[in-house]
Amino acid sequence: MASSRVSGELQFETAGPVHELPGFEYLAWQLVDPATSEPTMTGFDAAVVQDGVIPDLWTVLIPPPQ
């Protein structure tokens, strides 16, 4: 079961586990319309982790196909 968070009328859901490498982690997600259960956007967050702190974070947005 996917974890989710509500953002207005849309919901963020994880699209898999957090992937961890030494000093680097990333998590795929999708933004879902609960009325249709269809993703409106997907993407992933990638972070550098140093001593338990995230000094650098990137978010990659992947729009749905047109």
Side-chain angles (χ1 to χ4, degrees):
M1 176 177 226
S3 173
S4 66
R5 287 192 162 187
V6 176
S7 175
E9 294 184 15
L10 301 175
Q11 295 180 340
F12 279 99
E13 296 182 349
T14 58
V18 174
H19 297 275
E20 299 180 51
L21 301 166
F24 185 81
E25 297 181 9
Y26 64 97
L27 171 69
W29 52 263
Q30 56 186 6
L31 186 59
V32 176
D33 180 344
T36 64
S37 297
E38 293 294 320
T40 59
M41 180 78 67
T42 61
F44 62 92
D45 296 330
V48 171
V49 181
Q50 296 174 343
D51 299 321
V53 176
I54 299 173
D56 295 302
L57 174 69
W58 299 272
T59 298
V60 177
L61 304 175
I62 305 167
Q66 297 271 337

